[in-house]
Amino acid sequence: MPRLELTLLGGFAARDAEHGLLHLPRRKAEALLAYLACGGGSSHPRDKLAALLWPDVSDAQARHSLRQTLASLRQALPPGALRIDGPTVGLDPDTADVDVLTFRRLAAEGTPGALAHAAAMYGGDFLAGLDVRDAPPFEEWLQSEREALRDLALTSLARVLAWQRDANDPAGALHTALRLLALDPLQEVVHRTVMRLMAAQGRRDAALRQYQTCVDLLQRELGVEPEAETKQLYREILRQREHSRPSVDDARDRADLPAPASPPAPLGETALVGRRWEMDRLRAGLDAVWDGRGIGFALLGEAGIGKSRLAGEMMAEATVRGGRGLVGCAHESEQILAFGVWRDLFRVPAMPREVLSKLDARQRADLAPLLSEAPGSSAPTGDALQEFEAVTALLAALAGLSPTLVLLEDVHWADEMSLRLLAFATRRLASAPVAFLVTAREEELAAVPYVRRIFDEFRRSGHLEVIALSGLSAEETAELIMAATRTGAEATPDTGQRLWAVSGGNPFVVLETLRAAREAGAVAEGRSDVTRSQRIRELVNARVERLGPHERSLAAAAAVLGQPSDFPLLSTVAGVSEDDAAEAVETLVRSRLLRAEGEQLVLTHDWLATVIYHELVAARRTILHRRAAKALEAEPAAREPLRIGLHYARGGVWDKAALHLERAAVIAARTAAYHEATQCADLALDALAHLPASRECQERQAEVLLLCGLGLLVTADFERGLWTYEEAERLAVATGDAARVRRARHGRSWTLGSLGRHAEALAAAESARALASESGDQLDALFADVIMDRARYSLGRYEECVVERPRVADVRPATGGSAPADLRYMDPRIFPVHVRSRALARRGEFAAAIRLGRGMLDAADRVGRAPGRVMGSLALGQAYLGQGEIALALPPLEQAASVSREAELWIFSRALWPRSARRIEWPVGTTPPCPCSKRP
Amino acid sequence: MAGRNDAALPLLEEALTLTKRIGLKQSEAGALIDLAEGYLAAGRTDEAQRTVAEGLALAQAQGERGNETTALRILADIAAAAEPLDVADAEEAYRRARASAEALRMSPEAARCQLGLGRMLDRAGRREDARCALAVAAAEFETMQMSA
């Protein structure tokens, strides 16, 4: 009875029947045990084992290491498991149950049951994760074993798959095929098997997606296209809704098994989301067809917007009604082939005999180039009109059997003859039960004059009704995500909103971004970056590559600028003359890459901008950012220091970046936009960190830190605020800047108080007060007194807080001029009175408290600053409240709440502050910084 | 205080939640004590007891003697509302709170302690002691032009 169970497939695990999982002390012990186990009871000489695992040390040392390893194994394994017989070592086969040996035995047995068991046992690569790279001989043996076992697994799985298909077990077969693909994703024949099995289960979308997976893998790994047979199968599945089952025989594939595939698609299939109006229009069209009239629809929209999906729904609807469907697809590479899309349409399946019999010989001859059937005895006339007539006759004959839906996909790539034939057929078959449905990318139509012209004719003639598809709404996007993720676990409102914002409601972009984020494990972290998706990148690159050089430059400039910009700015950044730029902008607008917002131009979608920006090489991005910064700086009223600073930063011009970002921080703080102030300050600090160390730089850093600290304090990020003030103080001390030392201590005291550390707050304020006394700066001294009062109030030392302080009008800062922004926030005209008023109320001196509160409100109204108004209202309301005058207390208290909410004063109205963060429009490719992100 | 407990309690609870969420320790003890007073006014004495105890502990830890005094007064009010009434216990609680208020010259809190003491004594049937205590409280309120 085996007492030791060794699992070597998929990784190493040793279990003892008595103790469970065994822990071996070193990886070479695992390697040695695995080697002995695979020997099936054979004994190995010690010298051989020592050389296998310790090849780079002396023999004596290797033998010593082997002895130690064997000793540790003997200690860990059940007694008797190791068979050490003088110079040889082995593993007792009766004691150990080794999965590799069982796997090999079952595979060799070869019966369906044994193979299925073997396939199920293969849990992954042999000794996966075991790294013994310092023992090359062992590594060679490991690789060789690993490959052999993997081949055996593939063969076993392929044979199981063949049996399962013969036994008509599609679910089991699909499971096995997907396991095969997981082991070897490049086996094209298995991809085909999966496509067939999925299609047979009615999972047409999954089958079509499997093809895309196959195409992507082959392209990425081998740089090749799928085999013709795979392409053919795809077309066949595409047409599946017009016919009951795919008709291509898969006997050859069965013989060729095994083959490839990626893991199952991580996102589920979804029902059609949104598009209710469009489906109603299409259904009404089908109603007309079933009444015997011909109709035509053109579904227009950008790539990924869901044209094919909608067309597929219509095809399914037609099939359900008992109609016939024909699908042709135009390809970019086949634009020069006449009737390309019609050839594709008629390629499969074979035409019913009764249809062909209704055509005369000349028509059959003219159809020969389009049909796979033999043309008969006549030669084609070569006359286009005759060919048009022949196709029309063929469609009419088909429609005579059952209403027919003709779907022509991607006609923006169709050749001219195909489109002329389409126009002819829609006119000629207006009274036949034929529905024409074409799909086209509107942005591509702009580039092909004849396609555009023919579409214009369609519009005018009314033979094709144009349905333009736009993006899904935010709600529909959320619904799509919910449906795609099945559980909805990832479909948080935030995810939905974020994906909608980035995708503009483009379902392809939504799903691909979600898929890529999921594969990167980033959904839960809130990172849904379109650039993760290779398919989205390819989509965008394909559009950009078709542009001319000026258009590409302008698109790149627009991506770098990020937000709507006027034409002169765009052309300057692009480095394109205004004449050329005007022409290029027209092309871009016509191609739906650029759109106008009044006088401003911007890329049509954020995801386009993001991908275009991402695809720019770093050097080009740098140049464009520098141009953008210079151009913005040169504008007569350069009022956007943040934008300019960010472009300089992205352009690596750090001195200018720092200047503009510092200015942006100061402006934000002066307008009470403290969250923005903090962010700008953080960016400025980053820029300053790139400058050579100097006293001036340290002084600037200290100043920015003081601003940043203020922002953090007001936005209630106290821990970071405290660190920021401490850092500001350190720099100020280093540069001997007494005024900034005092300000840093003020801020530190204030922050400590907010953290409830009142005694420390008082001590910090007292030290600042001492410095202010030394300096003779009366304003600073007053400010220190105010902060001390605040701490004393919190400590219940009210009698010390009711002392009247000098009026601010009577004091002056030592340096003259206006107070820095942080002092301005804690306005000494108001704050000392606030503390005093509250202390008076605590002591029952309500009349005085109320008088002070009213005075504060008057002062705040004169100054026009929201924090003062809030403090005044609070003081007044609290005084009335303390007195028990509820009716009088409520109005000022309600006013305090209202003003704090309107002014987004987080410290007073905490739930509202994040809104302010959205005021900053970040250039594409930059990430809004976390305030003082590098700090604790 | 206006008797609209149903409107007040959600606001007080929200204030405490927000204060805790942003880590504004400076206001947390005050928010707890205000909420405890709200619970007590609504007759939810168990919640009042629990909340004020938390507020008292935080106020003491942070050295907030003013908040500590108010918390002690609310604890006394809770003791005075207890069933059955432990007169000695409630009386001692009021005396302790008043002593703290007087030390900080928090006259309104001292007056409230006196008022609570008088009401409690009245409830206990000690009419004369109650009358004396309430007279003192009334005078104090009058001095400060406070409404009870």
Side-chain angles (χ1 to χ4, degrees):
Chain A
M1 190 73 177
R3 284 171 293 152
L4 175 64
E5 185 183 317
L6 285 177
T7 304
L8 309 179
L9 294 171
F12 180 93
R15 286 181 185 77
D16 179 334
E18 193 177 339
H19 302 100
L21 196 63
L22 301 177
H23 297 284
L24 301 184
R26 56 192 78 181
R27 63 196 160 80
K28 286 208 174 163
E30 293 181 354
L32 177 59
L33 184 55
Y35 185 80
L36 295 175
C38 288
S42 306
S43 289
H44 303 273
R46 281 175 179 263
D47 288 350
K48 177 186 162 191
L49 296 174
L52 184 76
L53 287 163
W54 294 275
D56 294 334
V57 298
S58 67
D59 291 352
Q61 200 173 343
R63 280 196 299 275
H64 174 72
S65 297
L66 177 64
R67 265 197 309 278
Q68 282 193 322
T69 306
L70 286 171
S72 68
L73 278 176
R74 212 169 14 215
Q75 198 169 9
L77 300 179
L82 272 187
R83 211 172 47 198
I84 302 176
D85 184 15
T88 63
V89 179
L91 190 69
D92 183 355
D94 297 330
T95 308
D97 182 356
V98 184
D99 65 343
V100 166
L101 300 180
T102 309
F103 173 74
R104 283 193 167 124
R105 181 177 53 75
L106 289 167
E109 206 171 295
T111 62
L115 283 173
H117 192 177
M121 279 188 74
Y122 191 81
D125 279 341
F126 174 62
L127 292 177
L130 182 63
D131 183 2
V132 197
R133 272 176 289 186
D134 58 342
F138 179 83
E139 273 292 310
E140 284 169 23
W141 171 81
L142 176 63
Q143 289 304 329
S144 160
E145 286 291 299
R146 192 174 277 170
E147 287 302 316
L149 288 165
R150 189 183 171 83
D151 285 347
L152 195 55
L154 285 169
T155 308
S156 301
L157 281 165
R159 292 174 67 185
V160 170
L161 176 57
W163 273 314
Q164 284 170 327
R165 296 187 66 187
D166 287 342
N168 196 21
D169 175 12
L174 182 58
H175 176 74
T176 305
L178 290 172
R179 282 203 65 203
L180 263 169
L181 288 181
L183 285 177
D184 187 356
L186 294 177
Q187 294 197 42
E188 195 170 344
V189 67
V190 180
H191 276 287
R192 288 202 293 272
T193 302
V194 169
M195 287 167 68
R196 284 199 181 87
L197 289 166
M198 286 174 163
Q201 290 180 348
R203 298 169 58 194
R204 178 174 173 269
D205 289 352
L208 297 176
R209 200 165 48 236
Q210 188 67 35
Y211 174 77
Q212 192 57 56
T213 303
C214 172
V215 171
D216 292 346
L217 274 165
L218 293 174
Q219 184 61 46
R220 188 169 64 243
E221 301 296 331
L222 305 175
V224 299
E225 286 201 346
E227 293 168 3
E229 197 168 340
T230 312
K231 292 180 184 174
Q232 175 72 8
L233 176 62
Y234 175 74
R235 289 194 200 97
E236 200 175 330
I237 293 171
L238 203 60
R239 293 177 175 88
Q240 192 175 339
R241 293 196 176 173
E242 52 182 305
H243 307 290
S244 56
R245 281 284 181 272
S247 60
V248 171
D249 180 40
D250 60 350
R252 218 186 76 196
D253 284 356
R254 291 184 194 213
D256 288 348
L257 285 171
S262 60
L267 296 179
E269 298 160 57
T270 67
L272 182 68
V273 172
R275 311 299 186 209
R276 290 176 190 85
W277 180 87
E278 291 86 351
M279 273 308 291
D280 286 347
R281 289 297 309 134
L282 295 173
R283 285 197 186 99
L286 285 184
D287 291 344
V289 171
W290 258 254
D291 286 342
R293 285 176 284 144
I295 56 111
F297 285 106
L299 299 178
L300 300 188
E302 67 188 15
I305 202 69
K307 301 179 294 296
S308 297
R309 180 61 201 266
L310 199 55
E313 291 292 326
M314 192 180 178
M315 186 66 83
E317 181 99 16
T319 307
V320 167
R321 293 184 187 206
R324 173 191 308 275
L326 299 170
V327 183
C329 194
H331 301 279
E332 190 176 15
S333 58
E334 295 175 2
Q335 280 174 292
I336 55 168
L337 297 177
F339 299 113
V341 66
W342 292 95
R343 286 172 201 274
D344 195 63
L345 184 91
F346 290 127
R347 190 168 291 152
V348 173
M351 281 295 149
R353 268 184 186 286
E354 61 268 42
V355 171
L356 293 175
S357 67
K358 290 184 179 174
L359 306 179
D360 60 31
R362 196 180 64 188
Q363 286 172 326
R364 293 186 62 179
D366 283 331
L367 282 171
L370 302 181
L371 300 179
S372 53
E373 279 80 11
S377 54
S378 304
T381 60
D383 179 88
L385 186 60
Q386 296 296 336
E387 288 167 344
F388 288 4
E389 293 282 8
V391 170
T392 308
L394 175 66
L395 291 175
L398 281 168
L401 296 178
S402 59
T404 299
L405 173 57
V406 175
L407 170 58
L408 301 178
E409 289 256 51
D410 293 334
V411 297
H412 48 273
W413 285 325
D415 59 280
E416 187 169 5
M417 290 305 284
S418 285
L419 289 172
R420 285 176 58 191
L421 171 54
L422 173 64
F424 182 88
T426 55
R427 281 198 303 273
R428 186 58 63 89
L429 296 171
S431 302
V434 179
F436 290 95
L437 181 59
V438 301
T439 66
R441 295 182 190 172
E442 202 155 14
E443 69 272 18
E444 302 281 354
L445 293 180
V448 194
Y450 69 84
V451 180
R452 204 171 59 226
R453 193 184 66 242
I454 291 173
F455 261 82
D456 288 343
E457 284 175 23
F458 283 147
R459 282 194 175 99
R460 279 197 300 275
S461 68
H463 285 111
L464 281 182
E465 178 180 338
V466 174
I467 296 178
L469 299 184
S470 53
L472 300 177
S473 66
E475 292 74 22
E476 289 166 344
T477 301
E479 193 184 337
L480 177 66
I481 295 167
M482 179 73 80
T485 55
R486 294 186 191 282
T487 62
E490 295 150 301
T492 63
D494 186 44
T495 306
Q497 195 63 33
R498 201 172 55 245
L499 278 177
W500 178 71
V502 78
S503 67
N506 183 307
F508 170 81
V509 176
V510 171
L511 293 175
E512 281 304 310
T513 306
L514 192 62
R515 192 191 312 276
R518 187 188 244 202
E519 284 167 7
V523 174
E525 298 160 35
R527 294 183 283 119
S528 300
D529 182 357
V530 290
T531 60
R532 288 179 195 280
S533 166
Q534 188 182 341
R535 294 178 69 188
I536 294 176
R537 291 202 308 273
E538 287 170 357
L539 179 76
V540 175
N541 288 339
R543 285 181 73 175
V544 173
E545 280 164 11
R546 279 195 289 276
L547 299 171
H550 292 153
E551 286 82 359
R552 282 205 294 272
S553 295
L554 281 162
V560 165
L561 283 164
Q563 50 189 286
S565 306
D566 59 26
F567 173 70
L569 177 63
L570 195 59
S571 55
T572 302
V573 176
V576 177
S577 74
E578 290 215 351
D579 285 348
D580 290 336
E583 197 174 324
V585 163
E586 190 277 327
T587 304
L588 288 169
V589 170
R590 194 156 34 82
S591 305
R592 312 296 164 115
L593 276 166
L594 210 61
R595 64 183 157 83
E597 287 183 358
E599 292 295 311
Q600 309 280 300
L601 294 160
V602 66
L603 288 165
T604 46
H605 298 297
D606 285 351
W607 58 272
L608 267 176
T610 304
V611 175
I612 291 172
Y613 184 89
H614 182 266
E615 295 294 293
L616 291 173
V617 294
R620 182 149 173 72
R621 274 189 219 158
T622 302
I623 290 168
L624 292 176
H625 276 298
R626 286 180 186 177
R627 276 193 207 153
K630 280 182 187 167
L632 285 165
E633 199 175 28
E635 287 184 350
R639 288 168 301 181
E640 299 182 272
L642 173 61
R643 196 177 178 194
I644 298 169
L646 282 170
H647 280 302
Y648 270 130
R650 302 289 292 176
V653 187
W654 297 109
D655 53 344
K656 291 197 171 189
L659 278 174
H660 286 284
L661 292 168
E662 286 171 66
R663 194 172 146 233
V666 169
I667 291 171
R670 280 184 184 161
T671 55
Y674 294 105
H675 188 66
E676 285 87 338
T678 308
Q679 291 185 311
C680 294
D682 204 62
L683 290 164
L685 287 171
D686 279 344
L688 285 166
H690 283 82
L691 300 182
S694 68
R695 180 191 172 86
E696 186 213 339
C697 188
Q698 282 186 316
E699 286 173 350
R700 287 168 67 185
Q701 284 174 322
E703 184 63 32
V704 174
L705 281 165
L706 288 170
L707 264 178
C708 195
L710 172 65
L712 291 167
L713 179 58
V714 180
T715 54
D717 197 344
F718 304 120
E719 294 291 349
R720 286 182 188 165
L722 186 58
W723 186 95
T724 302
Y725 279 122
E726 286 168 352
E727 186 66 6
E729 185 175 337
R730 187 186 66 76
L731 285 169
V733 168
T735 54
D737 185 341
R740 288 199 178 96
V741 170
R742 294 195 300 272
R743 285 169 57 200
R745 286 184 187 170
H746 294 159
R748 188 154 63 84
S749 169
W750 196 282
T751 311
L752 284 165
S754 300
L755 287 165
R757 293 160 63 178
H758 306 301
E760 293 171 74
L762 183 58
E766 283 171 345
S767 69
R769 179 64 169 90
L771 288 177
S773 297
E774 284 173 22
S775 72
D777 187 320
Q778 293 179 330
L779 182 60
D780 248 8
L782 173 59
F783 196 56
D785 284 338
V786 169
I787 298 175
M788 285 163 64
D789 283 351
R790 177 182 185 254
R792 288 169 178 147
Y793 177 88
S794 295
L795 289 165
R797 291 161 59 172
Y798 304 121
E799 76 281 5
E800 296 169 71
C801 308
V802 297
V803 177
E804 193 168 350
R805 301 291 175 199
R807 293 188 313 146
V808 74
D810 299 334
V811 298
R812 289 283 181 275
T815 53
S818 62
D822 48 349
L823 296 190
R824 287 160 60 92
Y825 170 68
M826 299 169 205
D827 196 326
R829 280 165 289 201
I830 295 168
F831 200 81
V833 189
H834 172 76
V835 176
R836 192 166 160 235
S837 168
R838 293 185 65 190
L840 286 167
R842 284 288 216 175
R843 289 161 56 93
E845 297 174 44
F846 296 112
I850 290 165
R851 193 170 56 249
L852 288 177
R854 286 189 180 134
M856 285 168 68
L857 271 178
D858 291 343
D861 284 341
R862 281 198 301 276
V863 178
R865 289 176 59 77
R869 272 200 289 273
V870 175
M871 286 181 183
S873 302
L874 273 176
L876 186 59
Q878 284 167 340
Y880 280 130
L881 200 61
Q883 202 177 18
E885 298 291 345
I886 310 301
L888 293 173
L890 279 176
L893 291 176
E894 283 169 347
Q895 187 188 2
S898 165
V899 173
S900 64
R901 198 173 292 122
E902 283 169 18
E904 298 181 358
L905 293 173
W906 174 233
I907 203 92
F908 301 113
S909 180
R910 291 128 201 167
L912 302 167
W913 74 272
R915 273 201 293 140
S916 64
R918 289 199 282 276
R919 285 200 196 129
I920 296 180
E921 293 180 46
W922 305 98
V924 167
T926 66
T927 305
C930 176
C932 290
S933 53
K934 288 185 286 301
R935 288 165 275 285
Chain B
M1 292 173 81
R4 291 164 53 192
N5 294 325
D6 53 340
L9 282 177
L11 291 172
L12 290 167
E13 286 167 344
E14 186 187 359
L16 176 61
T17 302
L18 290 172
T19 303
K20 284 188 170 182
R21 189 187 302 160
I22 66 166
L24 186 60
K25 284 285 179 189
Q26 182 195 22
S27 301
E28 191 172 324
L32 281 161
I33 291 163
D34 286 348
L35 178 59
E37 189 147 34
Y39 283 141
L40 183 59
R44 293 160 62 174
T45 46
D46 286 351
E47 285 155 288
Q49 173 83 46
R50 198 166 49 245
T51 309
V52 78
E54 191 183 342
L56 176 62
L58 184 59
Q60 287 172 335
Q62 295 183 166
E64 296 172 6
R65 294 191 58 205
N67 283 332
E68 180 186 358
T69 300
T70 306
L72 289 173
R73 194 259 304 161
I74 295 170
L75 278 172
D77 286 343
I78 292 169
E83 283 289 354
L85 173 64
D86 183 333
V87 178
D89 185 44
E91 199 169 3
E92 174 54 28
Y94 277 123
R95 291 196 196 290
R96 186 179 167 207
R98 182 166 172 106
S100 179
E102 285 174 344
L104 297 178
R105 298 192 182 175
M106 294 173 70
S107 303
E109 279 304 341
R112 287 190 193 103
C113 289
Q114 196 65 21
L115 176 65
L117 177 67
R119 285 174 174 164
M120 187 273 297
L121 292 170
D122 184 57
R123 186 180 158 220
R126 288 166 55 182
R127 309 287 178 210
E128 186 54 30
D129 291 342
R131 196 185 60 74
C132 289
L134 289 171
V136 171
E140 288 175 350
F141 274 70
E142 178 64 27
T143 304
M144 292 182 284
Q145 296 182 312
M146 277 178 73
S147 304

